[in-house]
Amino acid sequence: VHATRVVLTGVEAVQGFETVLRQDSSNTRAWTGLATAYTWAERHGIPLPGVPAESLGPMAIRFSEHAVRIDSLDSDAWLARGLIDEYLDPARKVIALEAYRQATVLDSTNAEAWARLGTVLADMSRDEEALVAYLKAEALAPEYHSYKVPLHYLWFRQFDSATAWVDRAVAAAPNAYWTRFAAGTV
């Protein structure tokens, strides 16, 4: 189910999550969504009316911490926590790694958590572990994550494996940008 989740960003997303939270301030998913929307706004320079740009990151952290406090067993709350740590402060990748691990422990079908875990592991040069995480993400949601495996093999100049996996990626998601990128690179 995680593979079909729609991630909203920007003003409309924030307004939607705030509306939900006015009705139910204990809604973990709304706090998680709000944290993610603030993270993307900060990372991509998306202005949010009434919110100073320098407040976006700290507010995203606060929202994600609140979501985890409300429901520490929610995989998506931990995924949002990891995204914030990974994107807003690269020095906190170890914290992001633990948040992603927690997300996968709580829900082993959370493809996005597996994919993010793989990325952080790759950034830490833990390449075999990264490949395992990428393969898990690809198995759970090939239409979203199939390009990660061929790019991993390409990075290590394992061209035969990269070619085989990119063919699989194109079959799973022929029109996805990153799939096409991987196909053009291999």
Side-chain angles (χ1 to χ4, degrees), residues 24-46:
D24 178 7
S25 64
S26 66
N27 187 309
T28 304
R29 294 296 169 107
W31 283 109
T32 298
L34 194 60
T36 303
Y38 271 66
T39 300
W40 287 116
E42 197 279 339
R43 184 166 189 216
H44 298 290
I46 301 168

Side-chain angles (χ1 to χ4, degrees), residues 16-34 63-74 77:
F17 295 129
E18 288 174 343
T19 298
V20 170
L21 290 170
R22 278 193 294 278
Q23 297 166 2
D24 178 7
S25 64
S26 66
N27 187 309
T28 304
R29 294 296 169 107
W31 283 109
T32 298
L34 194 60
F63 297 153
S64 73
E65 289 172 346
H66 190 71
V68 168
R69 272 194 309 275
I70 292 170
D71 187 355
S72 64
L73 300 178
D74 187 298

Side-chain angles (χ1 to χ4, degrees), residues 78-87 89-103 113 116-117 120-121 124:
W78 286 102
L79 174 61
R81 181 73 215 157
L83 283 169
I84 291 161
D85 287 321
E86 180 184 359
Y87 289 152
D89 186 355
R92 295 175 58 100
K93 284 203 187 261
V94 171
I95 296 169
L97 176 73
E98 293 310 313
Y100 294 144
R101 283 196 194 282
Q102 183 66 20
R116 297 303 330 147
L117 177 63
V120 171
L121 288 166
M124 296 174 154

